[in-house]
């Protein structure tokens, strides 16, 4: 059954593609995000839409109903193939599970670019346009270690991660942070196997305030003296701050995070978060559309950033308390470039 | 007794069929019961008994492993804080499940109410007190729609609230543009929204107003459900709506009122959620509907309606809380929590079915 559907779709795609070749000028592209409500993806859509308009590309956007809704994404890929699009930009919910659908699209002659979240394996897509999440983590780790100075060697660290399934983005940020802080990683492909006594524990947050608060409470019960808190993103950081505030310890702990959303940057300004690594979803999407336009024109595939297996869209550390040896931008610049 | 004997001795022809049938008159329990039957009977008349025993057992087991880490006033009251939201939603869920319904939309209605409270105060610049009222209005309205569709249009509650869940959640995201309102802004301009985050500290124990409100709500509802006419009607129509109707219960009105009160309680949970998070976050509470049903089921309230105690729901929520914190303190992977909770759910339903036999 599945193969019949597949063949039909590919056939459909072929015929649709030949139709579009005939009309030539009309280039189609698809943007598939995890949800269409998360401000990060809203910004991504904004960047893609603006660039598509500029280049005269017809953009169709699809999204899962909730984060983790992989089925809707597969359906969206099938729709794009049938629609005769030239390329797909996708932020996959299930980085392994989406691969067969992506392969099908590539076989049908579409350029597939993973945005923000690399597929597994990373070369399942034609290219990946993303933040260097490991570097993003490393920056906040270095900043935290430099800010603590001598006290870094007696730090008590809480790590608030994304999910127990250890998705790549969560692992990269977490391990990057630990490396930046100067902690031995064990296996860099997973968190939780480190043996450093400074780590109080890991817990998961689902990347929202509620999870951040609960995870922080759990870890504070294990050790109320925690003074360094790594968080997967800024909503989790806001939740962790509330848990610390409930104990009156909000001024004793250093919270660091990743994302650079506008509420997050505002929290850096207010001192809730010490520093955050900012990524640029708008840039990822607009570069992605440019790549699809180039592919449609003469079949050029986008190139990776030298030395990396993806195209790096950049990351900046945002803080008003710069630390020696760690490059950063101030909150004002961070606010100008924030999303959401 | 003597009367029956005289009649049976002068049996007429058509009464022959009665030969060999039960001669005794209708009677209640005989006193000769096996131990198992007696336990069944006790559990039947005290539906909160099983979850209470499980709660005490799980506290003892985790306490044995963890010692003072768990048995500190701080950790014990932390469990209360962590289950407060689910406990409040569970109260709404309990009432609805008692009517043999189910409400899949409680979490969505809660988040929507909290979003409305935030947006009315910040986007429209209205007084925060009015914003809270607006939140309650939205919660009550969602409940009313659910109630009318279930009671008057006679749609199955599962379907109605499945639809409402999606509609409300989508509305919530569209309306709020998924923007978080930060804790600092709320503290500065609309502190009343964070009311349920305020706390009383006694020794190491921390009671937030949210926790106190949850406990008060459960006890008030326990009284209302057991000792008022309305409460007994809720049980009656859950057990057998036709019988309830025949005995004079206004089934439709009562049913609608249950859903409206449920919606209002969801709004209350939304208010408490702001207190717990500090911020107004449209992405919060996405699993709250399932968590509230979990608390209700583990709490021994029958999904088939008409039986169970709201105190059981509170114990059910606390069991989940003890498991989650206990396992985290031991340092196990959070997946084990889900696994054990899943087991508990199935055991709880099995016990419910087993107890049901006593009634049949």
């Amino acid at each position: 059954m599945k193969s019949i559907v597949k063949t039909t779709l590919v056939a459909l795609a072929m015929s649709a593609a030949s139709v579009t070749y005939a009309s030539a000028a009309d280039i189609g592209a698809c943007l598939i995000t995890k949800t269409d409500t998360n401000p990060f993806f809203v910004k991504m859509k904004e960047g893609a839409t603006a660039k598509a308009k500029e280049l005269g590309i017809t953009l169709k956007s699809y999204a899962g109903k909730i984060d983790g809704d992989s089925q809707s994404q597969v359906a969206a890929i099938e729709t794009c193939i049938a629609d005769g699009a030239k390329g797909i930009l996708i932020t996959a919910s299930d980085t392994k599970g989406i691969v067969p659908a992506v392969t099908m699209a590539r076989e049908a002659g579409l350029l597939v670019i993973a945005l923000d979240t690399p597929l597994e394996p990373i070369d399942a897509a034609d290219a990946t346009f993303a933040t260097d999440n490991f570097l993003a983590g490393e920056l906040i780790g270095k900043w935290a270690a430099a800010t603590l100075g001598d006290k870094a060697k007696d730090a008590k660290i809480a790590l608030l991660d994304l999910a127990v399934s250890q998705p790549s983005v969560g692992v990269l940020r977490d391990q990057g942070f630990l490396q930046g802080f100067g902690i031995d990683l064990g296996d860099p492909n997973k968190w939780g196997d480190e043996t450093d006594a400074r780590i109080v524990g890991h817990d998961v947050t689902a990347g929202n305030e509620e999870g951040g608060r609960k995870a922080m409470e759990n870890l504070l019960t294990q050790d109320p003296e925690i003074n360094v808190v790594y968080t997967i993103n800024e909503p989790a950081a806001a939740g962790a701050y509330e848990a610390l505030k409930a104990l009156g310890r909000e001024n004793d702990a250093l919270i660091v995070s990743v994302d650079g959303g506008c509420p997050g940057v505002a929290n850096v300004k207010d001192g809730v978060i010490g520093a955050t690594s900012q990524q640029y979803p708008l840039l990822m999407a607009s570069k992605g559309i440019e790549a699809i336009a180039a592919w449609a024109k003469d079949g050029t595939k986008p190139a990776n950033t030298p030395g990396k297996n993806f195209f790096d869209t950049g990351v900046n550390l945002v803080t008003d308390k710069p630390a020696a040896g760690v490059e950063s931008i101030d909150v004002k610049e961070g606010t100008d470039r924030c999303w959401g | 007794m003597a009367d029956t004997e005289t009649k049976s001795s002068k049996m007429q022809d058509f009464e022959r069929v009665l030969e060999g049938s039960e001669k005794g008159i209708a009677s209640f329990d005989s006193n000769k019961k096996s131990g198992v039957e007696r336990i069944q009977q006790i559990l039947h008349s005290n539906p909160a008994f099983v979850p209470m025993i499980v709660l005490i057992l799980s506290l003892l087991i985790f306490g044995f492993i963890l010692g003072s880490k768990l048995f500190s006033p701080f950790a014990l009251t932390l469990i209360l804080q962590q289950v407060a939201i689910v406990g409040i939603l569970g109260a709404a869920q309990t009432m609805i499940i008692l009517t043999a319904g189910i409400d899949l939309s409680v979490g969505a209605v809660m988040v929507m109410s909290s979003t409305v409270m935030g947006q009315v105060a910040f986007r429209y610049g209205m007084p925060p007190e009015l914003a809270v009222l607006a939140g309650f209005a939205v919660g009550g309205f969602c409940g009313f729609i659910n109630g009318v569709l279930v009671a008057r249009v006679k749609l199955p509650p599962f379907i109605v609230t499945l639809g409402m869940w999606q509609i409300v959640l989508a509305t919530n995201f569209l309306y709020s543009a998924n923007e978080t309102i930060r804790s600092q802004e709320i503290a500065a301009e609309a502190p009343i929204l964070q009311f349920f985050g305020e706390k009383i500290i006694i020794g190491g124990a921390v009671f937030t107003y949210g926790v106190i409100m949850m406990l008060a709500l459960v006890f008030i509802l326990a009284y209302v459900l057991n000792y008022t006419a309305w409460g007994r009607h809720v049980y009656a129509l859950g057990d057998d709506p036709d019988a309830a109707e025949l005995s004079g219960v206004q089934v439709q009105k009562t049913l609608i009122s249950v859903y409206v009160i449920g919606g209002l309680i969801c709004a209350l949970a939304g208010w408490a959620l702001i207190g717990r998070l500090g911020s107004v976050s449209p992405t919060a509470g996405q699993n709250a509907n399932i968590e509230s049903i979990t608390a209700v089921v583990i709490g021994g309230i029958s999904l088939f309606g008409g039986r169970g105690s709201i105190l059981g729901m509170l114990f059910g929520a606390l069991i989940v809380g003890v498991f989650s914190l206990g396992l985290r303190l031991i340092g196990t992977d959070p997946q084990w929590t889900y696994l054990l909770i899943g087991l508990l759910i199935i055991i709880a339903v099995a016990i419910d079915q087993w107890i049901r036999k006593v009634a049949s």
Side-chain angles (χ1 to χ4, degrees), chain B residues 1 3-4 37 43 68 70 77 99 115 148 152 155 167 176 197 204 214 251 265 270 309 316 346:
Chain B
M1 280 303 268
D3 233 25
T4 0
E37 277 175 321
L43 296 183
S68 60
L70 186 71
T77 48
T99 69
T115 307
V148 168
R152 291 228 198 280
L155 299 178
I167 294 168
S176 67
M214 172 198 55
V251 170
I265 294 176
S309 140
I346 292 172

Side-chain angles (χ1 to χ4, degrees), chain B residues 92-274:
Chain B
Q93 192 69 263
T94 302
M95 289 198 310
I96 288 161
I97 287 183
L98 281 177
T99 69
I102 195 158
D103 192 341
L104 296 173
S105 67
V106 286
V109 173
M110 164 182 78
V111 179
M112 182 75 204
S113 303
S114 76
T115 307
V116 167
M117 288 180 194
Q119 296 287 348
V120 169
F122 285 88
R123 195 192 292 177
Y124 311 132
M126 303 286 236
E129 292 78 9
L130 208 66
V132 172
L133 285 180
F136 275 99
V138 167
F141 179 71
C142 294
F144 178 72
I145 301 290
N146 278 338
V148 168
L149 291 174
V150 170
R152 291 228 198 280
V153 191
K154 309 272 185 213
L155 299 178
F158 187 94
I159 309 291
V160 168
T161 58
L162 181 69
M164 188 58 83
W165 171 22
Q166 315 262 5
I167 294 168
V168 173
L169 210 54
T171 312
N172 163 56
F173 286 134
L174 293 171
Y175 171 69
S176 67
N178 202 356
E179 276 168 15
T180 302
I181 301 169
R182 294 187 317 142
S183 181
Q184 294 84 333
E185 267 120 37
I186 297 173
E189 289 170 47
I192 191 178
L193 293 183
Q194 293 176 338
F195 175 76
F196 285 112
E198 303 277 321
K199 52 191 181 261
I200 301 169
I201 299 173
I202 307 163
V206 182
F207 296 94
T208 60
Y209 287 7
V211 166
I212 296 167
M213 188 267 285
M214 172 198 55
L215 294 173
L217 179 72
V218 168
F219 288 119
I220 290 169
L221 279 178
Y223 174 82
V224 169
L225 285 169
N226 283 310
Y227 299 106
T228 65
W230 181 83
R232 296 326 293 175
H233 290 172
V234 171
Y235 274 96
L237 76 88
D239 200 32
D240 187 340
D242 297 331
E245 179 118 54
L246 288 173
S247 47
V249 175
Q250 290 190 303
V251 170
Q252 292 195 351
K253 270 191 191 165
T254 312
L255 208 48
I256 294 174
S257 69
V258 166
Y259 280 89
V260 171
I261 294 170
L264 291 172
I265 294 176
C266 291
L268 190 61
W271 191 3
L273 183 71
I274 304 177

Side-chain angles (χ1 to χ4, degrees), chain A residues 275-299:
Chain A
T276 192
S277 282
Q278 187 168 47
Q279 47 176 350
Y280 301 101
L282 202 140
L283 189 68
M284 290 173 201
S286 59
K287 290 275 180 203
I289 293 290
E290 282 174 9
I292 291 177
W295 165 258
K297 200 173 145 213
D298 50 21

Side-chain angles (χ1 to χ4, degrees), chain B residues 42-65:
Chain B
I42 291 169
L43 296 183
H44 185 247
S45 40
N46 303 287
F49 221 67
V50 177
M52 195 180 77
I53 295 168
V54 176
L55 178 62
I56 293 171
L57 275 180
S58 49
L59 269 174
L60 286 178
I61 293 169
F62 281 113
F64 178 73
I65 301 170

